[in-house]
Structure formats: C-alpha cells, structure tokens
Amino acid sequence: MNKFLLISCIVMLSCSNEITPQLEVHRFDIVNATRSGVTLKWEYNVPEPSYFILLRDSSQVALINNPVINTFTDKGLEPLTEYQYELKVVSRSGNVQSKLIARTLGY
C-alpha cells in the first residue's frame, strides 16, 4: 500500500465581474505517491470547463484541454521532497483555483 502525506488543501475562488453560481473544486487529492512521482485527482462543479492548468511550485507542468480528464501523474520528482500543486479550472464563467501540498516517498 502506498502512503502519502497530505499537508494542506486550500480552495480559492476568483470570478469575473458577472454574477456566477458558486464555483468550486470539491476535491483535489493525492491518489498515489512513489519515490519519484505523485498522481493527483480532482472533482469540480464548474459548468463547461474549457481547460485545466496544473502548476508545481508555481511552474506550469500540465495544460489539459480535455474536461473529461481529471487525473495527472507527475513523474521524475526527487524522493522525500515536498511539492506544492495548484489546479486552475478555467471556464467561460470564472476561474477556480485549488492548492495542494504533496511529498514524495522515500524507501
């Protein structure tokens, strides 16, 4: 069984000037962690998402143009290292952000 350390998860919301329903990322979780990678999964209630931007330590690591995809595996990471991830869900009705801190395993 893989173990991982979830340190914090913070959901932030920023919307355009128009009135929109409450947008949020319901879950932004680590579903697997190894010595050299983490797999992230998310769920959201954003109407018609256009794309996702995933950042690691403030640098973009993925641009996902398919709104059906809700997982990403980040590989080639250093063991026993903490990384901060930020997911941006972009749609016509607003921009939703969620943050997560993950640590790779050491064996």
Side-chain angles (χ1 to χ4, degrees):
M1 175 189 229
N2 287 320
K3 294 184 180 180
F4 55 86
L5 178 62
L6 173 61
I7 297 173
S8 68
C9 183
I10 303 166
V11 177
M12 300 183 321
L13 172 66
S14 62
C15 296
S16 61
N17 290 335
E18 56 189 65
I19 297 174
T20 60
Q22 179 70 22
L23 305 175
E24 61 185 355
V25 175
H26 290 292
R27 298 188 71 165
F28 184 32
D29 296 316
I30 304 163
V31 293
N32 191 31
T34 65
R35 280 180 56 88
S36 62
V38 294
T39 300
L40 309 169
K41 182 176 182 176
W42 55 88
E43 296 175 14
Y44 55 88
N45 78 342
V46 179
E48 301 177 27
S50 299
Y51 57 93
F52 304 101
I53 300 171
L54 188 64
L55 299 106
R56 178 190 349 106
D57 297 334
S58 300
S59 296
Q60 184 174 319
V61 292
L63 174 65
I64 302 167
N65 290 317
N66 185 344
V68 176
I69 296 173
N70 69 339
T71 61
F72 178 78
T73 300
D74 196 7
K75 300 177 183 177
L77 304 176
E78 292 295 319
L80 292 171
T81 304
E82 186 174 288
Y83 297 96
Q84 181 171 323
Y85 290 91
E86 182 176 353
L87 175 68
K88 294 183 179 182
V89 183
V90 182
S91 72
R92 283 183 259 142
S93 59
N95 178 10
V96 179
Q97 298 175 330
S98 184
K99 293 186 179 184
L100 175 71
I101 297 175
R103 182 185 307 267
T104 52
L105 298 178
Y107 297 120

